[in-house]
Amino acid sequence: DIVMTQSPLSRPVIPGEPASISCRSSQSLQHSNGFHYLDWYRQKPGQSPQLLIYLGSNRASGVSDRFSGSGSGTEFTLKISRVEADDVGVYYCMQALQTPGLTFGGGTRVEIK
Amino acid sequence: QVQLQESGPGLVKPSETLSLTCSVSGGSISGFYWSWIRQPPGKGLEWIGYIYYTGSTNYNPSLKSRVTISLDTSKNQYSLNLRSVTAADTAVYYCARVPYGSGFPFDYWGQGTLVTVSS
């Protein structure tokens, strides 16, 4: 199985300030087609997860351009350019290179400082 | 707008079978992968498996011996059966859609349903 490790576990943020979350995989997530099979989700309190970023850097439909994904190989980052109060929740990365065996990171809790 | 809705018993006895159905509205089953994901209370996400609209399936190796996912295209539904459940299977169960051809992102999710395994 590919193990996904997120850091930090908790990220206190100040509205208006930028924030970033890291995700590391135990092996490269680059597919033979050149894309990185890494997605980002946000789960607001009491809600289902929502897709933010797919294939490492592609914003999902309707997602604010304040969110961006980057990285390659085994190291990936989700950046929020200007945090808003509504961004609180738990953020998960997920590798989709190995199917079967899709695996999520343990999550990073974003909270307002 | 595509909507997914899970349904099924909220309480299952140990050693019995957990059965859930996901009803899809606002779109067709055809052309997509359909998945189940679960989340134990207060914990992270675990992928259970998926079924392609053609009927082919793929399961999490850690659950493969106990899981079956099936499809009913006439009803625009798909189902999850998890056999021989224990307390460790207590979780919120989500159904989710995956579009073909852009990696494997879950672009639409159901609201989730809590299933408790207890006698």
Side-chain angles (χ1 to χ4, degrees):
Chain A
D1 282 6
I2 298 177
V3 177
M4 305 299 292
T5 304
Q6 290 184 231
S7 61
L9 290 179
S10 178
R11 167 71 78 190
V13 296
I14 297 173
E17 295 290 309
S20 63
I21 299 167
S22 296
C23 176
R24 177 181 298 172
S25 56
S26 60
Q27 62 189 74
S28 175
L29 299 184
Q30 188 170 25
H31 192 276
S32 57
N33 62 17
F35 290 103
H36 287 85
Y37 278 42
L38 186 284
D39 305 323
W40 289 96
Y41 296 86
R42 173 181 63 191
Q43 187 174 31
K44 294 182 179 181
Q47 296 187 17
S48 310
Q50 173 197 5
L51 176 67
L52 297 176
I53 302 288
Y54 65 96
L55 292 177
S57 60
N58 296 276
R59 264 190 305 276
S61 177
V63 172
S64 169
D65 60 6
R66 296 183 297 106
F67 293 90
S68 63
S70 62
S72 62
T74 63
E75 302 279 345
F76 299 89
T77 301
L78 176 70
K79 294 181 180 177
I80 311 174
S81 60
R82 299 173 309 280
V83 172
E84 297 180 355
D86 191 49
D87 294 334
V88 298
V90 180
Y91 289 72
Y92 295 95
C93 60
M94 186 198 82
Q95 68 81 16
L97 187 67
Q98 275 189 358
T99 56
L102 297 171
T103 46
F104 291 89
T108 294
R109 185 174 301 277
V110 171
E111 52 196 9
I112 299 298
K113 189 180 288 187
Chain B
Q1 177 79 340
V2 175
Q3 292 188 319
L4 287 71
Q5 178 69 59
E6 305 89 350
S7 60
L11 181 64
V12 180
K13 289 182 168 55
S15 80
E16 295 190 344
T17 296
L18 179 160
S19 295
L20 296 174
T21 295
C22 182
S23 299
V24 180
S25 60
S28 173
I29 288 272
S30 296
F32 297 93
Y33 293 90
W34 302 94
S35 200
W36 288 98
I37 298 144
R38 70 180 183 178
Q39 185 173 36
K43 296 188 177 180
L45 299 163
E46 180 181 33
W47 173 72
I48 299 171
Y50 70 71
I51 187 165
Y52 194 37
Y53 77 102
T54 57
S56 64
T57 55
N58 227 326
Y59 302 127
N60 186 324
S62 68
L63 298 169
K64 185 175 182 178
S65 64
R66 300 193 291 130
V67 172
T68 302
I69 298 176
S70 58
L71 196 59
D72 187 339
T73 54
S74 66
K75 294 182 178 179
N76 242 32
Q77 293 178 340
Y78 65 107
S79 298
L80 168 70
N81 276 356
L82 181 64
R83 297 175 291 279
S84 305
V85 296
T86 70
D89 295 309
T90 293
V92 174
Y93 286 76
Y94 296 101
C95 57
R97 187 187 83 165
V98 178
Y100 177 82
S102 53
F104 210 82
F106 301 111
D107 65 348
Y108 285 95
W109 295 64
Q111 66 184 27
T113 187
L114 174 62
V115 179
T116 302
V117 178
S118 174
S119 56

